[in-house]
Amino acid sequence: MPNSRKNNTKRLLFRHLKRERAFWSYDPKSVTLARIGDDFLIEKVLYHLDWDDIMKLFEIYPNSQINRVWKNELCTAGCWLEDTNRLFAYILFDVKNPDKYLKNQQRNSLKHAGTLH
């Protein structure tokens, strides 16, 4: 995808995130597209926006990057994102057994955080 089209899509997603007040807990002056970074943009889109916007991520970022952000930031969230994560696992990332996969991801996250031995 040409850089200008990619940048236009990123700007569109950023505007949608601002409309949804996805950055409510941040200083408005500190939240700019140039400052938030791609991984943070991906995380916020997955969490706050609708299916059409999520699909736009796959037009501008590699599947592996989106998958990594999902695994590291949303997948470990536990029951409050359980249905969303199950959908993402099955449809977006072709996980054959989403429930087992998500449970393992959450367990591994707790191990890395030092709460399980």
Side-chain angles (χ1 to χ4, degrees):
M1 168 181 284
N3 245 6
S4 63
R5 187 166 168 219
K6 180 177 180 177
N7 288 334
N8 287 341
T9 301
K10 286 169 70 171
R11 281 192 293 275
L12 173 72
L13 293 172
F14 185 72
R15 280 195 312 270
H16 289 181
L17 287 167
K18 287 184 88 170
R19 180 189 67 215
E20 293 297 318
R21 294 175 173 39
F23 307 111
W24 65 270
S25 64
Y26 297 91
D27 175 12
K29 293 176 184 148
S30 71
V31 180
T32 65
L33 184 56
R35 294 182 76 187
I36 65 170
D38 290 343
D39 285 359
F40 192 66
L41 179 71
I42 292 168
E43 175 189 349
K44 291 298 185 183
V45 168
L46 289 173
Y47 186 78
H48 291 282
L49 298 184
D50 64 18
W51 194 255
D52 290 338
D53 287 328
I54 291 169
M55 291 297 101
K56 286 178 177 58
L57 289 175
F58 289 90
E59 296 173 10
I60 60 175
Y61 296 108
N63 186 305
S64 59
Q65 183 177 4
I66 300 167
N67 186 300
R68 178 180 45 76
V69 171
W70 170 69
K71 268 199 283 191
N72 293 338
E73 304 302 333
L74 277 78
C75 195
T76 58
C79 62
W80 60 280
L81 281 179
E82 188 173 347
D83 291 338
T84 300
N85 279 325
R86 189 178 296 119
L87 176 76
F88 287 171
Y90 190 73
I91 298 203
L92 297 180
F93 303 115
D94 200 32
V95 174
K96 300 300 181 214
N97 187 339
D99 291 326
K100 182 178 179 181
Y101 179 84
L102 293 169
K103 188 173 183 178
N104 286 337
Q105 288 296 102
Q106 291 165 7
R107 184 179 300 121
N108 289 339
S109 174
L110 291 173
K111 282 181 184 177
H112 291 311
T115 58
L116 287 179
H117 301 282

